[in-house]
Amino acid sequence: MKAVDLTVSYDGKKILENLSFETGDGITCLMGESGCGKTTLLNTVAGLIEPDSGEIVGAPLKPSFMFQEDRLFPWMNALENVDVVCNDRAKAMELLKKVELEEHWNKMPTELSGGMKRRVALARTLAFAGDMLILDEPFKGMDAELVKRMALLIKEVKVPVLMATHSEEEAELLGAGIQKLK
């Protein structure tokens, strides 16, 4: 995927201006200060925001997006929140096991900690099986050891990954290329 001279505005303010970069088939981490446009760029790559100018070449046709907010359905338990995107309960349970939540499959989002909600959201994103994994701060609320284990899970995916993070340690754990935003 390649961003070519990308300019994106929000409420009349330019968030990204003439941004160009290219990702490979592996993992690319977007890094920069809060408010520099990481989330805006992820939304643009996913096709949720139309750029003012420039283009995304090779944009994913079916992105698996893990938003910065968990966006879990409050009326569904953890298993149902994952199953809703893949319609395969066995696969959903296997993914909950991979994110170390198999014992919490029947808990509602209100019964889960922040880090647990992030892991359900990660499992749901993986269940969608898109052609690119787009992750907006996926490790929020997780301790360092848990981050290491979830990073290993992300490294297993067979599609390109584009991830926003503030942490150089997370990028290193993933063996990611880094794209700095200003």
Side-chain angles (χ1 to χ4, degrees):
M1 188 230 43
K2 186 185 335 185
V4 181
D5 292 324
L6 202 61
T7 298
V8 181
S9 299
Y10 184 75
D11 281 342
K13 180 183 175 203
K14 285 187 180 170
I15 306 297
L16 302 170
E17 189 169 10
N18 299 323
L19 176 69
S20 295
F21 75 96
E22 192 168 347
T23 66
D25 291 333
I27 301 172
T28 302
C29 284
L30 303 174
M31 298 190 72
E33 295 181 15
S34 293
C36 72
K38 296 181 298 292
T39 297
T40 298
L41 180 55
L42 294 179
N43 285 322
T44 305
V45 170
L48 301 175
I49 295 176
E50 191 70 32
D52 300 336
S53 62
E55 63 180 325
I56 303 288
V57 178
L61 299 174
K62 183 184 167 189
S64 290
F65 203 138
M66 182 177 175
F67 294 92
Q68 200 171 76
E69 313 81 23
D70 303 312
R71 298 191 182 189
L72 301 179
F73 295 117
W75 59 88
M76 293 181 174
N77 65 34
L79 179 62
E80 292 165 336
N81 261 287
V82 178
D83 184 45
V84 72
V85 300
C86 65
N87 201 25
D88 181 339
R89 271 194 142 25
K91 179 180 178 180
M93 186 56 91
E94 180 61 30
L95 285 166
L96 284 177
K97 185 176 182 178
K98 286 183 176 188
V99 297
E100 303 176 17
L101 290 173
E102 68 273 17
E103 294 175 14
H104 303 281
W105 69 269
N106 60 343
K107 289 192 175 171
M108 303 303 281
T110 56
E111 300 174 289
L112 300 171
S113 71
M116 293 167 95
K117 289 177 190 176
R118 291 307 285 162
R119 288 184 281 154
V120 173
L122 177 59
R124 185 175 59 188
T125 303
L126 295 169
F128 187 67
D131 59 349
M132 176 182 265
L133 203 60
I134 299 176
L135 308 171
D136 200 347
E137 298 187 34
F139 304 130
K140 253 187 337 191
M142 295 183 207
D143 63 60
E145 289 305 310
L146 188 53
V147 168
K148 287 178 186 175
R149 295 191 303 272
M150 294 305 106
L152 290 173
L153 182 60
I154 291 169
K155 287 173 72 171
E156 291 176 1
V157 300
K158 305 290 188 233
V159 297
V161 176
L162 185 61
M163 179 177 121
T165 182
H166 292 280
S167 169
E168 289 188 25
E169 292 83 18
E170 290 175 4
E172 286 176 22
L173 277 173
L174 293 164
I178 294 174
Q179 175 63 45
K180 296 250 184 193
L181 299 182
K182 296 177 185 175

